[in-house]
Amino acid sequence: MSDTIDKSVGVVKAQIAHFDTPIVLKSGETLPQFDLVYETYGTLNADKSNAVLVCHALSGTHHVAGKYAETDKYPGWWDNLVGTGKPLDTNKFFVIGVNNLGGCHGSSGPSSINPATGKQWGATFPVVTVEDWVQSQARLLDYLGVSQLAAVIGGSLGGMQALEWTIAFPQRVRHALVIASAPNLTAQNMAFNEVARQAIMTDPDFYEGDYYSHQTLPCRGLRIARMLWHITYLSDDVMGEKFGRKLRNDIKYSFDVEFEMESYLRYQGDKFAGEFDANTYLRMTRALDYYDPALAFGGDLGAALKSAQAKFLVVSFTSDWRFSPERSKEIVQALLDNELSVSYAEVTAAHGHDAFLMTDKHYHDILRAYLHKVEV
Amino acid sequence: MQNNVNIANINSKFRQDFAIIAGWIPFSGKVLDLGCGDGVLLKFLRDSMEVRGYGVEKDDANWLSCLKNGINVIQMDLEAGLSGFQDQSFDTVILSQTLQAMHHTEDILQEMLRVGKEAIVTFPNFGYWHNRIQVAVAGHMPVSEDLPYQWYDTPNVHLCTIKDFDQFCKNHNIRVLERKVITAGNEIRTLPNLRGALAMYRLKAAA
C-alpha cells in the first residue's frame, strides 16, 4: 500500500440533479421541487456496490476532491482523503459528494431562486434538518442508480448524517464512518451556535433574511460568526503554538490588530463572509442544534439505533472540545448495546475539532485500514 | 461448560492458553477482551467459537493491527474503568496476561465482573520455581518467556503468585469457577504455585 503514490482525482466537474417529486421536511413544510449539486470521483462498478457518500459539515460543499481547473489555488475540502492510493481509493470506490439542501453552492437553498416566485428564497426557505438531508441524499442515490452504499462517511455535522443514514435507511448502508461527531449537541455547543446566529441576525444588513433584495449582505455578522467558529474548532494548544502572544508590530495601545491571532481571525472572517451565505449558515447551525435521534426514544440512543445494521467506525480526537471523545463514546455505547459491529479510535491530535480535516498519518492509516476491509 | 474447539479453523500458531480460554466461553457468545493487543486471541475465538467479540486496546499500533485483523476494537484506557459498558452485557470478559501491568487491579476485576457474566483472568505466576530461583539463588529479578522484561523497563507493576490471587479472590468475594495452570503448554496439576508458569482463572462474582 505504501508503494502506491497518492494521486489527486484531477480536474472535476460539478453536476446538478433536479427532483420534481415534492419532499416533505421534518418541519412539516414541503419543497415541491429541488436541486442537488453533486460531484463524483471514481467509477460506479457493474454491481453498483462500490458507492461511498461523503457528507459535509457546517461550511462544506459537494466539492470534496480535485480541482475545477489546474490553476485552482485549493482542491476540494477533503482532497487528502479521496484519490488513487488515498484512504478513499477511487480505484475501488465511487465517491459521491453532495451540497446539502439549504446550502449555498448550487443546491436549493435560501440564495437560490424559488421557482414559484422567480425570486431568491431568502428567509422563506424552510429550516432543514439532518433527517431532511439524508432523505434528499437518498433521492440522489436513486437518481444515480445506487440502491445500497458501501459506506457513508462524514465528520462533525457530516458524522451526524452518516449516523442518521444507518437509522433512516438501515438496508441502504453497509458501513458508516462517524468522525469527530456527537449524537446531539451539548448546551454549550448550542450556545456557540446561538451567538453565531445572533451576530448574523442583529447585523443591520440582515433585513430579516431578505438582504438579497436590499442588494447587501450581513457581512459583519457572518464574519463574527466565523471568527467564533474558528476559535471553537481549534484547541487552546494549537492556537498557542500557531500565534501565542505574538504581536504584529509594536504595541500601539489601540483597538486595531495588535496580536497575530486577531489578524488571523479577521482574515478568516473576511474570507468567509465574502463567499458564504448567511441564511445558509443559520440553517446549518440549526440542523446541528435539532439533531437528536434519541429524543423520540426518551433519550435512549441505543433504542434509536435498534434498526441499524451497518458496521461502524467511530473516530474522535483527543483535543476536540467541541465534539469531544466522550460524545463519540456515547455513540459507541449505543452501538455496543445493539451488538453492532463497531471499532472506535481516539486519535491523539493537537488540532482540536479541525483535526478531522488534517492529514495525520495514524488517522489516515485508520481510515485506510478500515476502508480497505470494506467489500465492494 | 466444556466446548469442542474447532482447531481446523485456526490458522494461528496453536496456543494452549487460547484453547483453554475457548473451552471456558459459550459458543457464539459475546466476549470482551481487555488489553487485546493485536487481536490474535479474539481472532482465534471468532474463528474457533464464532464469538461476537470486541477488543479494548489503548496502544495505537496494536489498535491498528486489530483493525487489520478484522477485529472490532475500542480504544480506551482500562485504568479508567469500563464506563460505557453496561452491567452484565457480555458473556465473558477476558483479561489475558494484562493483570500484572494494571495499576488499578481491584477496580478492573470489579468492572470485569460487573460487565461480564463471567471473567477470565490469566497472568504469569510469580511463584513459578524458575522465577523463585532467579530471585533467591541467582539474586536477580526473573526474566523468562512469560516475564520478558528487565526490572527497569517492565510494564509489570503488580506481579503475584497463584497463592496471592486465590487469597485476593477470597477477600474480594470472587468465586473461582475453574483454575488451570500451564507450563510450556502442559497443564500442571500438582504443586501448581511452584511448577506453573501461567495461571488461568475462570471467575464469577459471588452471589
Side-chain angles (χ1 to χ4, degrees):
Chain A
M1 192 77 71
S2 53
D3 302 339
T4 320
I5 296 164
D6 291 358
K7 277 194 205 141
S8 164
V9 295
V11 173
V12 298
K13 215 176 138 200
Q15 299 175 80
I16 288 188
H18 179 74
F19 300 90
D20 276 323
T21 317
I23 184 167
V24 181
L25 304 171
K26 205 181 175 197
S27 65
E29 287 199 59
T30 300
L31 277 177
Q33 51 179 293
F34 61 97
D35 290 336
L36 290 178
V37 62
Y38 68 98
E39 285 176 17
T40 67
Y41 322 100
T43 312
L44 187 61
N45 64 11
D47 293 343
K48 302 186 172 180
S49 63
N50 67 336
V52 175
L53 177 68
V54 178
C55 301
H56 71 72
L58 192 76
S59 57
T61 70
H62 55 291
H63 187 38
V64 177
K67 292 179 173 181
Y68 292 133
E70 294 286 0
T71 51
D72 283 2
K73 196 170 170 194
Y74 299 109
W77 59 272
W78 223 352
D79 188 78
N80 60 17
L81 213 63
V82 184
T84 305
K86 295 186 187 180
L88 255 176
D89 195 329
T90 42
N91 281 342
K92 176 180 179 181
F93 295 113
F94 175 66
V95 181
I96 306 162
V98 57
N99 184 215
N100 284 333
L101 219 45
C104 54
H105 293 88
S107 291
S108 296
S111 53
S112 63
I113 302 293
N114 178 354
T117 63
K119 289 182 187 156
Q120 282 174 296
W121 283 89
T124 63
F125 193 86
V127 169
V128 284
T129 63
V130 168
E131 290 88 339
D132 298 332
W133 287 338
V134 169
Q135 293 296 331
S136 63
Q137 288 159 1
R139 296 270 193 99
L140 178 64
L141 294 195
D142 296 341
Y143 172 87
L144 295 171
V146 174
S147 58
Q148 189 187 58
L149 289 167
V152 58
I153 179 171
S156 190
L157 179 56
M160 288 175 164
Q161 292 160 62
L163 186 65
E164 180 58 25
W165 258 99
T166 69
I167 296 171
F169 296 103
Q171 319 276 346
R172 294 192 74 171
V173 53
R174 297 201 297 278
H175 294 268
L177 290 81
V178 180
I179 301 165
S181 195
N184 62 20
L185 292 195
T186 59
Q188 186 196 46
N189 207 334
M190 288 194 291
F192 287 124
N193 286 344
E194 174 58 6
V195 174
R197 282 192 299 269
Q198 285 297 316
I200 291 167
M201 294 191 298
T202 57
D203 186 320
D205 287 333
F206 182 61
Y207 293 104
E208 307 292 325
D210 285 323
Y211 44 85
Y212 317 106
S213 56
H214 291 82
Q215 280 84 47
T216 185
L217 296 168
C219 283
R220 282 165 288 183
L222 193 54
R223 183 169 172 265
I224 294 167
R226 187 57 175 181
M227 288 165 85
L228 179 68
W229 174 257
H230 252 278
I231 298 165
T232 67
Y233 88 37
L234 295 177
S235 68
D236 190 18
D237 284 350
V238 94
M239 277 187 112
E241 194 182 301
K242 209 166 175 175
F243 311 110
R245 296 186 51 82
K246 256 180 276 169
L247 287 159
R248 292 214 80 191
N249 300 299
D250 293 336
I251 292 183
K252 287 180 287 188
Y253 297 97
S254 77
F255 299 105
D256 293 338
V257 171
E258 292 272 52
F259 295 96
E260 284 290 354
M261 170 272 303
E262 296 165 355
S263 162
Y264 171 78
L265 284 183
R266 289 185 191 199
Y267 169 76
Q268 290 294 340
D270 287 339
K271 184 164 157 264
F272 189 73
E275 60 194 29
F276 206 83
D277 179 62
N279 279 321
T280 288
Y281 204 83
L282 296 181
R283 279 157 184 75
M284 294 289 165
T285 59
R286 260 307 185 220
L288 271 166
D289 294 350
Y290 286 136
Y291 189 60
D292 187 6
L295 185 65
F297 297 88
D300 184 349
L301 185 63
L305 280 158
K306 197 127 254 161
S307 58
Q309 297 173 15
K311 295 180 174 178
F312 285 81
L313 175 69
V314 179
V315 180
S316 72
F317 299 90
T318 50
S319 57
D320 183 351
W321 56 280
R322 196 149 179 191
F323 290 81
S324 72
E326 296 311 315
R327 304 310 318 279
S328 284
K329 282 187 197 163
E330 289 176 36
I331 297 172
V332 173
Q333 181 184 347
L335 298 172
L336 285 171
D337 291 348
N338 285 297
E339 298 189 11
L340 288 163
S341 179
V342 54
S343 284
Y344 167 66
E346 201 168 296
V347 177
T348 304
H351 284 89
H353 190 50
D354 204 22
F356 89 87
L357 293 169
M358 314 286 283
T359 306
D360 171 87
K361 187 179 180 301
H362 180 58
Y363 166 44
H364 276 200
D365 281 349
I366 289 168
L367 297 181
R368 195 189 302 271
Y370 189 88
L371 289 162
H372 183 68
K373 289 260 175 194
V374 171
E375 287 171 19
V376 297
Chain B
M1 200 196 335
Q2 286 293 325
N3 291 294
N4 293 319
V5 181
N6 187 357
I7 304 289
N9 286 347
I10 299 156
N11 297 320
S12 57
K13 192 181 127 201
F14 181 77
R15 280 182 56 172
Q16 180 67 19
D17 57 333
F18 284 13
I20 290 171
I21 290 171
W24 283 351
I25 61 170
F27 190 79
S28 83
K30 193 178 170 192
V31 172
L32 185 64
D33 182 9
L34 305 179
C36 64
D38 58 6
V40 283
L41 172 60
L42 273 175
K43 196 164 181 242
F44 173 88
L45 296 175
R46 185 193 60 200
D47 296 347
S48 60
M49 299 294 292
E50 295 178 26
V51 299
R52 292 159 296 145
Y54 298 88
V56 172
E57 179 57 46
K58 184 174 75 169
D59 178 73
D60 283 348
N62 278 338
W63 187 96
L64 199 57
S65 297
C66 285
L67 202 65
K68 288 177 179 169
N69 277 326
I71 297 298
N72 283 316
V73 56
I74 312 295
Q75 190 165 33
M76 57 186 270
D77 184 0
L78 294 177
E79 300 287 4
L82 298 177
S83 65
F85 294 99
Q86 306 268 24
D87 293 1
Q88 303 291 292
S89 55
F90 285 84
D91 292 309
T92 309
V93 180
I94 301 169
L95 188 67
S96 172
Q97 303 193 42
T98 302
L99 181 77
Q100 71 279 0
M102 295 283 307
H103 285 266
H104 300 99
T105 314
E106 292 172 290
D107 295 343
I108 195 63
L109 279 161
Q110 269 162 17
E111 280 286 82
M112 287 174 76
L113 293 166
R114 174 183 69 78
V115 170
K117 291 171 189 137
E118 289 186 10
I120 293 172
V121 174
T122 78
F123 58 86
N125 173 31
F126 206 71
Y128 180 41
W129 67 268
H130 188 256
N131 297 332
R132 296 191 197 195
I133 278 179
Q134 288 189 64
V135 179
V137 178
H140 62 74
M141 288 298 283
V143 178
S144 66
E145 198 180 330
D146 290 314
L147 292 169
Y149 302 99
Q150 295 294 334
W151 65 271
Y152 50 83
D153 67 359
T154 180
N156 298 330
V157 290
H158 284 142
L159 289 161
C160 70
T161 70
I162 288 170
K163 201 172 170 183
D164 292 331
F165 195 74
D166 283 342
Q167 190 61 45
F168 177 92
C169 291
K170 212 172 274 176
N171 295 348
H172 290 80
N173 227 14
I174 297 169
R175 250 172 79 201
V176 178
L177 300 176
E178 281 184 74
R179 187 187 78 188
K180 290 202 178 193
V181 178
I182 56 174
T183 302
N186 299 311
E187 200 174 330
I188 305 295
R189 290 173 198 277
T190 52
L191 296 174
N193 194 33
L194 187 64
R195 298 176 57 229
L198 185 72
M200 307 184 67
Y201 284 77
R202 186 172 151 223
L203 308 168
K204 197 174 173 64

